[in-house]
Amino acid sequence: STDGEHWGLVTTDSDLPKLRAMSIVPFGNALYLFAGWSPEFGHNRAIWKSEDAVHWTKVVEKAAFPGREGQRVLEADGKLYLFGGVNYDTHTTFNDVWISEDALTWVPLTRKAPWHSRWDHDVGYFRNTFWLLSGMSSGTVGYDDVWKSADGTSWEIVATSTPLGKRQGHVILPYRGALWLVGGLDTKSNAGTGDTWFTQDGAHWEKVPTDGGWVGREDHKVMSFRGKLWIFGGMDTNWHWNNDIWYGEITR
């Protein structure tokens, strides 16, 4: 799609295995796929690459980081970073951070960051700083905390209690000079949220007065495109997976 509204099907049978909770990120002139879980073979350790989003090639058979899902991978200053995640097979949650300069070779920046191991968190890169928010433990415990780091190795706690509450499956991203949070699952009420918040420092959050018209949800995708925020899919409180698309131009 070039406008978010009109879509064309490019393939019904890709080269990729069936996967959930993987990370696909643009890097250089290609897309790379990392981690995730497959009903065919369990946790994916391979790294896949595509230059057109249609044809995919396995470029690494077994990545250096342990198999997982629910992680966060993002690009910052020409490098890729991977944060946390969970392996349900071994009941292991991670609080590690890995870095790669070529998307193929990964080395750990830290195997034990000071934040609790977690999955379904999110990490944003804003003002040359990584910001890690919330997420879930391997049990039913959710987190309501904010951490920041300039390098992915040394971390500082910013807040241990925020108006955001405990949530998972949310999205944070920089937009119009602030760090924004959109949606997620409120782990206290077990309900999807349709709210939007922004901050300048990670500690003080301001809520957009009017919630979006979209149903509250988690595990959706949000991106900035043509000056607007776009929301794709996600799962609502009734365990219903949505295939809707919303956009909004937020002004402050």
Side-chain angles (χ1 to χ4, degrees), residues 82-169:
L82 180 148
F83 306 83
V86 61
N87 185 312
Y88 288 114
D89 294 341
T90 60
H91 305 286
T92 302
T93 50
F94 299 95
N95 57 340
D96 52 356
V97 181
W98 294 71
I99 185 173
S100 176
E101 296 186 0
D102 61 5
L104 308 178
T105 303
W106 289 81
V107 296
L109 287 176
T110 176
R111 294 183 184 271
K112 293 291 181 181
W115 37 271
H116 291 290
S117 59
R118 65 190 66 195
W119 57 276
D120 239 4
H121 52 295
D122 202 10
V123 182
Y125 191 65
F126 173 63
R127 292 182 175 171
N128 300 315
T129 302
F130 295 107
W131 303 82
L132 182 144
L133 278 73
S134 303
M136 289 290 290
S137 73
S138 57
T140 58
V141 178
Y143 299 112
D144 175 19
D145 55 358
V146 181
W147 294 79
K148 70 177 182 179
S149 173
D151 57 10
T153 302
S154 301
W155 291 83
E156 176 186 346
I157 184 70
V158 176
T160 56
S161 179
T162 73
L164 306 172
K166 297 179 179 180
R167 64 176 69 200
Q168 69 178 96

Side-chain angles (χ1 to χ4, degrees), residues 12-237:
T12 58
D13 186 22
S14 77
D15 305 312
L16 295 170
K18 297 177 181 178
L19 288 167
R20 75 177 185 200
M22 65 284 190
S23 297
I24 300 177
V25 294
F27 185 69
N29 295 317
L31 292 172
Y32 289 86
L33 182 150
F34 310 96
W37 182 86
S38 169
E40 299 171 350
F41 54 82
H43 287 93
N44 170 50
R45 296 289 302 275
I47 298 175
W48 295 75
K49 176 182 178 181
S50 176
E51 295 181 356
D52 60 7
V54 179
H55 304 94
W56 291 82
T57 301
K58 184 188 296 186
V59 289
V60 173
E61 184 68 33
K62 190 175 181 180
F65 49 82
R68 67 191 68 196
E69 57 183 302
Q71 67 289 324
R72 179 70 166 100
V73 180
L74 58 78
E75 184 272 336
D77 295 332
K79 300 179 179 64
L80 290 176
Y81 296 81
L82 180 148
F83 306 83
V86 61
N87 185 312
Y88 288 114
D89 294 341
T90 60
H91 305 286
T92 302
T93 50
F94 299 95
N95 57 340
D96 52 356
V97 181
W98 294 71
I99 185 173
S100 176
E101 296 186 0
D102 61 5
L104 308 178
T105 303
W106 289 81
V107 296
L109 287 176
T110 176
R111 294 183 184 271
K112 293 291 181 181
W115 37 271
H116 291 290
S117 59
R118 65 190 66 195
W119 57 276
D120 239 4
H121 52 295
D122 202 10
V123 182
Y125 191 65
F126 173 63
R127 292 182 175 171
N128 300 315
T129 302
F130 295 107
W131 303 82
L132 182 144
L133 278 73
S134 303
M136 289 290 290
S137 73
S138 57
T140 58
V141 178
Y143 299 112
D144 175 19
D145 55 358
V146 181
W147 294 79
K148 70 177 182 179
S149 173
D151 57 10
T153 302
S154 301
W155 291 83
E156 176 186 346
I157 184 70
V158 176
T160 56
S161 179
T162 73
L164 306 172
K166 297 179 179 180
R167 64 176 69 200
Q168 69 178 96
H170 49 287
V171 176
I172 59 174
L173 75 166
Y175 175 69
R176 294 199 170 183
L179 186 66
W180 293 76
L181 179 144
V182 182
L185 178 76
D186 182 332
T187 60
K188 183 177 181 180
S189 64
N190 201 36
T193 61
D195 53 356
T196 304
W197 299 72
F198 63 91
T199 183
Q200 294 289 339
D201 60 9
H204 303 91
W205 292 84
E206 184 175 344
K207 186 178 183 294
V208 174
T210 303
D211 289 349
W214 38 276
V215 176
R217 62 194 64 193
E218 61 172 314
D219 295 337
H220 50 297
K221 177 66 176 177
V222 182
M223 63 180 296
S224 175
F225 177 64
R226 293 184 176 177
K228 300 179 176 63
L229 288 180
W230 297 72
I231 302 171
F232 300 84
M235 185 178 69
D236 61 31
T237 304

